[in-house]
Amino acid sequence: GLHPDDFMCCNHHHCITCGKNAIGGGGLLYRCQSCPHAYCPDCLPAGDVRFLGTNVPRFEKLGFTGNNLYQYIHCSKQCEEVAK
C-alpha cells in the first residue's frame, strides 16, 4: 500500500531548513511570496526578511485566501525585487 511519505508535497508546506510543517513549527510557517521557500519560526533567515501578512493581493486575485498557519514574507532582497 501507499504510505503518506510516498506523496510529493509543495515546498510551501514545510520548512526548507529543518523540514517541519506548520504544526511542528509551533503552528506557523513563513512562506516566501516570490520563491518556493518556507521557514518555521526557528529557521527564519536573519536580515532582509519583509513580513507581508496572511493575505497577499497577488494570491487573492487568483482566489486564494490565507489562514493563520501561514504568513507570507519576502525571504531576501532578491525575492523582494522579483515581486516588484
Side-chain angles (χ1 to χ4, degrees), residues 3-84:
H3 187 271
D5 292 340
D6 296 332
F7 292 94
M8 295 285 295
C9 183
C10 167
N11 290 347
H12 270 182
H13 291 275
H14 63 273
C15 177
I16 194 75
T17 303
C18 70
K20 291 178 186 172
N21 62 17
I23 302 303
L28 180 64
L29 277 183
Y30 293 97
R31 295 171 163 178
C32 184
Q33 180 215 333
S34 300
C35 78
H37 292 168
Y39 300 91
C40 72
D42 293 333
C43 298
L44 196 62
D48 297 324
V49 174
R50 180 171 172 233
F51 295 90
L52 304 174
T54 303
N55 293 310
V56 176
R58 176 178 153 200
F59 296 149
E60 287 178 333
K61 288 178 184 176
L62 298 171
F64 179 79
T65 56
N67 67 56
N68 291 334
L69 293 176
Y70 308 106
Q71 295 286 317
Y72 286 94
I73 61 171
H74 290 143
C75 68
S76 67
K77 288 268 191 210
Q78 180 179 2
C79 287
E80 182 83 33
E81 289 298 314
V82 167
K84 289 184 179 179

